[in-house]
C-alpha cells in the first residue's frame, strides 16, 4: 500500500493555514489514522501511525511531562495537531511540549482556532480511506488478472495469505477439505477473533465454501477481498463445469464411433491417447440391459437416474436411441474406463 505521510496530510486544504512548529525531521512518518483523547489513560491505546489531535489546553496538562511524550514516541504516533485560542488569536504552544516533541522528532502542527475538530478528522480520514480503497482495489484487480492467467484454488489461498494473516480452506459442499493455507502471520494458539464462511457457487448451486479464520477482526476491505476470492473460486468451478461439458461432447462422439465400430484399431488407440487413455491403464466394463414395456420414455429416464450414482469426474454417458444402446465411460483407480450396454425399448 502507498505510504501516506504527515507531509501528504498537511497538503490538505483544511491545513492550508496550519503551521509546523517543530519536528520537521518526522514529516515522513507514515499516517494510518487520526484520533483525539480526553484522558491520559487513553494514550496507552494509541496505535502506530495515528495522528493525535488535541486542544492546547489539554496538551498543556499532560504532554508537558517528558514521560508522556516518551510514551507517544514508543507508540510511533505520526504527529500531534494542536488547536486553541479564540477570536482568531492562537495560543502559543508551551515550550516544554516543543522541546520534548523535538527530542523525539514528532511533528507538532498548530491549527487555527476557527478550524473545527470534526472537519480536521473527516478530512484526514477521507484521505486515509481513499489510499486504502485504491490499495485493496489494486489487490482485487491483480487477483482477477492472476486467475485469468491460470491461478488455481491453491494459488488463490496463498495470495490471500499475503494480505490477510489467517487460515484459509476450500471445502466441497459436504465439508470435505480440498485446499488449505496458513498465512505466516496467523497464530493458531490464540483465540479466534473472526471467522468468515463464503459460498462457492456454480449454476446457482453451492459447490463448496471458502472459510477464513483470523486472530483479529477483519477490516471491511479484507472482507471484500475474501468475497472477491470466493467469486473467483466460483469462476474456476464454472470453468471446469464447461470444460467438462466440452470434454463430454467430444468424448461422447468418440464413444459413438467406437460403439458403432466405425474406427480402426489404430484410430481407436490414437483418439483414446488424446483423452489420456492409454493401453496400460485399467478399465472396467459393465453391460446393462434395460427395457420398458409401457413407455419408451422410461428408458432414458432410468439411464439418467443411473448417472446420479456415477462419479462426477472422468465419467461419460451416451444414449443412442436409434440403435437402442447406451454408452458410459468412467474412471477406475484414477484412470479412465468404459462402460457400455445394450438397451431395449420393447
Amino acid at each position: 500500500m502507498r505510504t501516506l505521510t504527515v507531509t501528504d496530510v498537511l497538503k490538505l486544504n483544511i491545513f492550508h493555514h496550519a503551521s509546523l512548529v517543530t519536528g520537521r525531521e518526522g514529516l515522513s512518518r507514515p499516517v494510518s489514522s487520526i484520533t483525539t483523547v480526553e484522558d491520559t489513560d487513553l494514550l496507552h491505546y494509541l496505535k502506530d501511525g495515528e495522528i493525535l489531535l488535541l486542544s492546547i489546553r489539554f496538551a498543556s496538562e499532560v504532554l508537558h511531562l517528558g514521560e508522556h511524550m516518551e510514551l507517544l514516541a514508543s507508540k510511533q504516533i505520526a504527529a500531534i495537531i494542536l488547536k486553541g485560542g479564540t477570536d482568531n488569536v492562537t495560543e502559543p504552544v508551551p515550550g516544554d511540549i516543543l522541546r520534548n516533541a523535538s527530542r523525539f522528532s514528532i511533528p507538532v502542527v498548530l491549527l487555527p482556532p476557527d478550524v473545527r475538530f470534526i472537519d480536521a478528522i473527516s478530512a484526514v480520514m477521507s484521505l486515509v480511506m481513499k489510499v486504502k480503497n485504491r490499495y485493496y482495489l489494486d489487490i482485487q484487480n491483480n487477483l482477477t488478472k492472476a486467475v485469468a492467467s491460470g491461478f488455481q484454488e491453491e494459488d488463490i489461498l496463498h495470495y490471500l495469505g499475503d494480505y490477510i494473516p489467517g487460515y484459509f480452506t476450500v471445502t466441497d459442499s459436504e465439508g470435505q477439505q480440498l485446499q488449505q493455507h496458513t498465512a505466516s502471520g496467523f497464530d493458531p494458539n490464540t483465540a479466534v477473533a473472526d471467522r468468515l464462511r463464503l459460498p462457492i457457487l456454480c449454476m446457482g448451486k453451492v459447490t463448496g465454501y471458502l472459510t477464513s479464520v483470523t486472530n483479529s477482526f477483519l477490516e471491511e476491505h479484507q472482507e471484500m477481498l475474501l468475497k472477491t476470492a470466493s467469486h473467483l473460486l466460483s469462476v474456476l468451478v464454472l470453468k471446469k463445469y464447461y470444460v467438462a461439458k466440452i470434454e463430454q461432447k467430444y468424448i461422447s462422439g468418440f464413444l459413438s464411433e467406437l460403439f458403432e465400430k466405425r474406427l480402426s484399431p489404430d484410430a481407436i488407440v490414437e483418439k483414446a491417447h488424446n483423452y489420456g487413455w492409454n493401453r496400460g491403464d485399467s478399465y472396467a466394463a459393465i453391460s446393462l440391459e434395460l427395457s420398458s414395456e409401457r413407455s419408451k420414455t422410461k428408458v432414458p429416464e432410468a439411464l439418467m437416474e443411473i448417472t446420479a450414482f456415477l462419479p462426477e469426474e472422468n465419467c461419460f454417458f451416451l444414449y443412442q436411441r436409434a440403435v437402442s444402446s447406451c454408452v458410459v465411460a468412467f474412471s477406475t483407480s484414477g484412470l479412465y474406463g468404459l462402460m457400455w450396454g445394450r438397451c431395449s425399448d420393447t
Side-chain angles (χ1 to χ4, degrees):
M1 180 166 54
R2 175 171 100 70
T3 302
L4 185 65
T5 66
V6 177
T7 297
D8 297 323
V9 170
L10 294 182
K11 290 179 182 178
L12 292 170
N13 290 335
I14 199 165
F15 297 119
H16 184 69
H17 296 293
S19 57
L20 176 69
V21 292
T22 191
R24 183 171 298 276
E25 303 86 356
L27 289 177
S28 60
R29 287 172 177 250
V31 174
S32 61
S33 181
I34 183 171
T35 187
T36 184
V37 299
E38 298 177 355
D39 190 286
T40 55
D41 290 339
L42 297 178
L43 296 177
H44 295 274
Y45 297 96
L46 295 176
K47 298 179 181 179
D48 293 358
E50 284 191 309
I51 291 176
L52 185 58
L53 179 60
L54 299 169
S55 67
I56 289 182
R57 182 171 301 177
F58 182 74
S60 299
E61 296 176 2
V62 295
L63 296 188
H64 69 283
L65 298 176
E67 61 186 75
H68 285 161
M69 195 65 74
E70 187 173 350
L71 173 63
L72 296 182
S74 67
K75 293 291 183 179
Q76 298 184 25
I77 66 165
I80 299 172
I81 297 179
L82 301 177
K83 174 182 177 294
T86 57
D87 299 329
N88 293 324
V89 178
T90 304
E91 296 180 35
V93 181
D96 47 2
I97 292 180
L98 296 178
R99 286 191 296 273
N100 288 327
S102 177
R103 191 178 105 186
F104 295 105
S105 298
I106 299 177
V108 175
V109 178
L110 190 58
L111 204 60
D114 60 336
V115 178
R116 298 188 304 169
F117 274 25
I118 186 62
D119 293 335
I121 292 174
S122 297
V124 174
M125 289 309 300
S126 294
L127 180 60
V128 169
M129 294 306 297
K130 180 180 179 181
V131 172
K132 187 173 288 188
N133 287 340
R134 181 72 259 174
Y135 172 68
Y136 277 99
L137 183 60
D138 288 342
I139 291 175
Q140 294 177 48
N141 290 339
N142 290 338
L143 179 57
T144 301
K145 293 177 183 178
V147 170
S149 300
F151 255 33
Q152 296 301 311
E153 288 87 348
E154 183 180 4
D155 302 313
I156 292 177
L157 297 189
H158 279 79
Y159 187 91
L160 291 175
D162 291 338
Y163 301 99
I164 303 175
Y167 173 68
F168 310 97
T169 59
V170 172
T171 60
D172 60 21
S173 57
E174 302 299 324
Q176 182 69 31
Q177 183 172 297
L178 304 176
Q179 297 286 346
Q180 68 85 26
H181 175 64
T182 303
S184 58
F186 178 71
D187 183 3
N189 298 317
T190 61
V192 174
D194 212 353
R195 179 188 294 268
L196 190 63
R197 189 168 183 250
L198 299 169
I200 300 171
L201 304 173
C202 179
M203 306 297 288
K205 176 184 176 182
V206 176
T207 61
Y209 295 94
L210 167 64
T211 303
S212 68
V213 180
T214 58
N215 297 122
S216 59
F217 291 106
L218 291 168
E219 296 181 4
E220 180 182 357
H221 298 87
Q222 293 174 324
E223 287 191 16
M224 288 303 301
L225 177 57
L226 286 169
K227 290 178 181 178
T228 298
S230 71
H231 293 327
L232 293 174
L233 288 169
S234 297
V235 170
L236 289 181
V237 173
L238 190 62
K239 178 181 177 182
K240 292 178 181 178
Y241 171 81
Y242 281 110
V243 168
K245 284 291 185 183
I246 296 173
E247 189 178 49
Q248 172 76 61
K249 176 182 178 181
Y250 283 100
I251 293 182
S252 294
F254 165 61
L255 295 178
S256 178
E257 292 179 311
L258 178 65
F259 187 81
E260 296 171 5
K261 300 179 181 180
R262 292 190 281 115
L263 295 174
S264 67
D266 290 340
I268 292 174
V269 171
E270 181 180 355
K271 286 199 171 187
H273 181 71
N274 291 335
Y275 300 124
W277 303 352
N278 301 304
R279 290 179 179 271
D281 293 342
S282 300
Y283 299 95
I286 300 176
S287 177
L288 300 176
E289 182 176 351
L290 303 176
S291 63
S292 176
E293 297 179 355
R294 299 180 185 178
S295 173
K296 292 183 179 181
T297 60
K298 295 297 183 181
V299 172
E301 289 179 5
L303 293 176
M304 293 306 296
E305 290 183 10
I306 291 173
T307 61
F309 298 96
L310 298 174
E312 292 186 3
E313 296 183 357
N314 303 340
C315 180
F316 304 92
F317 175 83
L318 173 66
Y319 173 66
Q320 293 179 302
R321 186 182 181 84
V323 295
S324 302
S325 62
C326 61
V327 178
V328 178
F330 68 104
S331 67
T332 58
S333 302
L335 301 174
Y336 286 103
L338 300 180
M339 174 194 293
W340 63 86
R342 185 165 296 278
C343 308
S344 173
D345 282 336
T346 60

